[in-house]
Amino acid sequence: MFGYANPERFWRLSSLLMPWVWGATAILFAIGLYAALVASPDDYQQGATVRIMYVHVPAMWMSLGAYAFIAVASFVSLIWRHVLADVAAKAAAPIGATFTALGLLTGSIWGKPMWGAWWAWDARLTSVLVLFFLYLGYMAMWAAIEDRTRAARAAAILALVGAINLPIIRFSVEWWNTLHQGASVLRAGGSALHASFLYPLLIMGLAYLFLFGALLLVRIRTEILSQRVLADQRRRAANEQLTSPIESEA
Amino acid sequence: MDGLFQFGEYAGYVWSAYGISLLGLAVLTAVSWRAYAAAKRRAGSLGDGNCS
């Protein structure tokens, strides 16, 4: 598996994959938005606000998924010092942070007509807000430490410590008496949603997943190129330092 | 087409949620591609625009 994580192999493989992943993302969004805004019925209790679920729930799935990805990549980076692991973790963070922000915002928009409040300090909402701050902290760690190796290590440790928040978010609705409803799709005993709501949600979930993959490929490639440029600049600077005494003697 | 996109009293909430989501994802996509294009230009000025 690590063989494919070699930067040059990754580059070749991602060149082949990118058009397909972006194409699939566009198609899934087109189908998903049609299913969510046109084909899906209104809910008998929530009315049309049930349609907000099709952008809120996939954003939250990807928010948690992206953080789990960062945690696994950070673990691989710390233990095996794999070249691409910290690159992949760093590339995934802004994507995960955006999904988390969108999940919080769309949840808030749904909460106003359904709960009568934009925000409540309940366990699920608060733990997701903590996740958003973890993403910001992770990105700030990368930005604040100049030495890349030290930044990767510090950010990886933060990501692994922060991973404890993932089960807290997942089970917060069971452990505490929360305003937020319990799991209705990924739960023991199968989904509680009727097919007319479940299929649009799953299609939008796939669209968000493919978008995450597509953006991740672009951002990893950007990071690989940036590191190449940086390495080249350092090499040139080192060469100049080596050659300048000779030039001055001549 | 009558009845399509008729979200009644909740229309403002539904469209706001979709608008914010699409705007957020579009900005993230645009920023990512711009950074990629800039990195490619910088790498191109070194002699090649790819990794291999």
Side-chain angles (χ1 to χ4, degrees), chain A residues 10-47:
Chain A
F10 170 83
W11 191 270
R12 284 196 296 273
L13 187 66
S14 62
S15 298
L16 291 173
L17 282 176
M18 281 234 293
W20 295 99
V21 179
W22 279 104
T25 303
I27 291 168
L28 283 165
F29 264 104
I31 299 170
L33 286 172
Y34 173 82
L37 290 171
V38 179
S40 169
D42 286 353
D43 180 68
Y44 80 105
Q45 283 182 318
Q46 300 180 39

Side-chain angles (χ1 to χ4, degrees), chain A residues 36-250:
Chain A
L37 290 171
V38 179
S40 169
D42 286 353
D43 180 68
Y44 80 105
Q45 283 182 318
Q46 300 180 39
T49 60
V50 72
R51 296 170 199 276
I52 297 174
M53 175 181 73
Y54 304 129
V55 285
H56 168 70
V57 176
M60 286 318 309
W61 282 344
M62 291 320 304
S63 161
L64 297 176
Y67 199 90
F69 175 86
I70 291 169
V72 170
S74 298
F75 182 77
V76 171
S77 169
L78 277 177
I79 303 298
W80 288 287
R81 304 283 167 92
H82 200 277
V83 183
L84 262 187
D86 56 351
V87 170
K90 185 184 177 189
I95 312 172
T98 306
F99 281 130
T100 312
L102 292 177
L104 285 167
L105 286 169
T106 52
S108 177
I109 292 170
W110 180 88
K112 181 60 181 167
M114 291 298 107
W115 294 342
W118 296 104
W119 181 261
W121 290 104
D122 103 332
R124 170 60 69 85
L125 275 67
T126 308
S127 53
V128 171
L129 186 63
V130 169
L131 179 69
F132 181 63
F133 289 136
L134 279 168
Y135 272 119
L136 296 185
Y138 180 85
M139 291 189 289
M141 195 75 88
W142 271 105
I145 303 173
E146 203 167 323
D147 179 70
R148 201 184 181 286
T149 312
R150 282 183 57 226
R153 176 173 286 216
I157 291 169
L158 174 67
L160 285 173
V161 172
I164 192 71
N165 193 36
L166 296 184
I168 293 175
I169 293 172
R170 175 69 179 84
F171 295 108
S172 57
V173 288
E174 294 170 23
W175 291 342
W176 293 286
N177 185 22
T178 60
L179 194 56
H180 195 283
Q181 68 204 60
S184 50
V185 180
L186 304 172
R187 64 174 204 154
S191 166
L193 290 182
H194 186 266
S196 57
F197 299 113
L198 182 63
Y199 290 126
L201 181 61
L202 292 180
I203 295 167
M204 284 300 280
L206 265 181
Y208 273 64
L209 178 65
F210 271 76
L211 181 63
F212 173 74
L215 287 168
L216 188 65
L217 290 179
V218 170
R219 296 189 77 95
I220 291 176
R221 287 167 71 95
T222 306
E223 191 64 26
I224 289 172
L225 286 175
S226 301
Q227 283 190 32
R228 248 182 79 83
V229 171
L230 201 63
D232 189 77
Q233 284 170 347
R234 284 187 183 145
R235 201 164 38 242
R236 280 168 201 245
N239 283 344
E240 278 171 20
Q241 276 182 345
L242 282 174
T243 54
S244 58
I246 300 167
E247 283 168 6
S248 60
E249 279 174 25

Side-chain angles (χ1 to χ4, degrees), chain B residues 3-51:
Chain B
L4 286 184
F5 305 123
Q6 300 296 312
F7 302 142
E9 60 181 312
Y10 299 125
Y13 295 105
V14 174
W15 288 121
S16 300
Y18 278 79
I20 286 171
S21 296
L22 293 181
L23 182 70
L25 296 178
V27 168
L28 177 67
T29 303
V31 166
S32 301
W33 275 105
R34 276 174 66 102
Y36 180 54
K40 268 179 100 170
R41 270 198 307 277
R42 284 196 301 274
S45 69
L46 300 178
D48 66 347
N50 59 44
C51 180

